[in-house]
Amino acid sequence: MKTRLWKILTDNCLLPAFWIVSVLIELTAVTVTGGAFFIRKPWIWLSLLLVFSGVMYAIGNQNGRFWFSFCLLLFNFFADLVFIVIYEMTDTVFDFSMLNLRSDAMAIIESLPINFWFVLVAGSLIGAYLVFGRYYVRHQPKKRTPPRTGNSKLRVAATAVAMALTLVLHGVFVYFSWYKYDPADVTANKLYRNDTSSYADKGPLGNFFAELYKGAFFSKVKVDDPETLENFLYSDNAIYDGTALFGAAKDYNVITVLAESFEWFSFMNAFPNSEEFVLGHTADQEILRKVYPNLYALYDSSVTMTGFRSREKTDISENLSIMGAYPTDKIINYDYPKNTVVTSLARTLKELYGADNITANYFHNGTSSFYNRSTYLTKGLGFDSFTAADDMNKAGMPDHIAKGERNLDSEMINTCFDKMFPTDKRFYTYITTITQHGQYEPRDNLAPHYAKLDEFGLAPLPEPNHKNYVSARNFRTYAAAAIELDAAIGAINRYLDERGLTENTLLVLFGDHNAYYSSLSSDVKGITDGKYDTSRNYTDLYRVPFMIRIGDGKHAQKIDKFTCTADILPTIYDLLGIKTFGNFLYGHSVFDERESVLYSRAYDVFLTDKMYFTSINKIRYQSPNVDQIYREQTEQTAHTLLEKVSRTNQIFYTDYFKGDRAVNFYNRLRALNES
């Protein structure tokens, strides 16, 4: 008996070796992405390993068994490496909607962050398996094919049954992972869940297959009946009729500037850390005002939200500022490019004031393919035109992208000013910049701005062998790019002044997210992403600028309370004097006494100025002064927000406002604003 058992073990040594290497590769991937050395819910992944092991066992030839398992380990290695790269570039776990962004990502990437420790550890493990496997196969006695007997047939049948049971077990784990999932019911899926939105939940491979199964079998949306949905959307209790500044910019033009990766520290002495070589500006404000005169002038003359946070990707921040909402689990620009978006500011202005009286145009000095804007902005959001770098190049703007650099924001303004700031009709102009977009390798087209930094002794570099050299070099490029943004704001002001448009124009400037590329934001602020200690306010990592200039500077003030990206559009509606249906909007006007809670679709987290949490059951960070009352208020605000998100999912997943329902919405909106 012992001899027989020993023979079974020695004949199948590759199976436990395969398991050991695969498990260690997966746990290494979890560790380097910020998780612990364990996986909380490994069932889908482990049952998948059982399926692979069954196939290995069914392969009688040891050489074939080895090469099959070796190929599986290589797949494991490269798949996990891809997931790690995505995580380190985006700080998010993989989901299949990211595939929509693959061409955009490769078009703008300057370098890939290959994790050294994962490659070293996982590569060594696979190398060890290769050496062991080849030695084992060579020293195993060659098997003779025995004649087929009743016992051999029984073994084949038993193997087949075991394989079938393993597949059934895998299916059971998949089913019980998702059978309660309803993409429309985000309150249960988000606010009260127990996972952490990291690879420590299911593992990289487990997450990949879980997302695959979710999209294939569990993504059907349950939609409320039309009467229930309409009663929620048009609830009298949710009508938003403004604050004390309601109508302060009535009939004004609107210019919204989404400044890519725009941070306060790009032009201010803010967040200098305590490293030996200080990153960030340390000069007196008097000097900084000479280098960044237009940004400071806007800061002085605007309603400035000093407590504004953004934790999104560019396209989501963009959509929130244009239509005030965003569904979960989808990327609108690709999944719903032609949906009827009734709450788009472009469509709202045209419906309320007449399409012949309003022109709405969008400008971005990146390529036209980014985020499928060429289709989505005009078909979905109702802009009259989308002008991208491709069009600007034809009009004479230099093509820096072709040289591997970012285009210059001021050149975009100087190329397109006639269309951006027309004088024959009221306009809504949306501008997305690109110069401050990471990564932050040195750029030839910023040479004049580097020279200006040197002139005033700003953003110096340490010696090349200094530990902070790369971070300092990144900040130097970023600070030079901020001079370029300053020049763009100066050009906007100049054209508005020359055309007599300043006094009746609302100018909005905000950062879409922090400068996370190359870890610049973490380096400068001294707040490490993923380290939720209480020595610094962790949510400050996502504190970025948001300023609104009303005319030539009316009502300029500083607002310190927490505000977020979802508050931008409600604030614009408030200032323009447009009443809205509040259940279509995630946020509130910044002049409202209520505070919002930010739910980040991109990062699957909730955020205030005092808390950062995956769910109310998984609070990652809270400031020391948070008490039970604040937590309960935050939970209630988040719950109210997610009721809106649930309806937004239904609206987008079904193109709810296609046809007559859009007409009904605009009739209701006009009646509301005429009352």
Side-chain angles (χ1 to χ4, degrees), residues 315-326:
D315 61 314
I316 301 175
S317 290
E318 179 180 87
N319 274 288
L320 285 171
S321 67
I322 294 172
M323 65 177 184
Y326 201 95

Side-chain angles (χ1 to χ4, degrees), residues 407-440:
N407 283 333
L408 299 181
D409 299 329
S410 63
E411 291 179 346
M412 168 175 59
I413 306 301
N414 291 326
T415 300
C416 302
F417 67 90
D418 275 332
K419 195 173 182 180
M420 286 180 171
F421 319 118
T423 57
D424 59 335
K425 61 172 62 177
R426 187 179 175 189
F427 61 85
Y428 168 41
T429 295
Y430 199 104
I431 302 168
T432 295
T433 69
I434 201 172
T435 306
Q436 286 189 295
H437 196 298
Q439 309 290 333
Y440 300 112

Side-chain angles (χ1 to χ4, degrees), residues 91 370 456 495 567-568 635 638:
D91 195 30
F370 278 8
F456 288 90
Y495 291 119
D567 297 326
I568 295 173
E635 178 182 355

Side-chain angles (χ1 to χ4, degrees), residues 309 527 534-541 609-610 621 623:
R309 267 82 165 172
I527 303 173
T534 56
S535 61
R536 298 288 300 272
N537 185 342
Y538 177 76
T539 72
D540 277 347
L541 186 58
D609 56 339
K610 299 180 180 68
Y621 166 84
S623 63

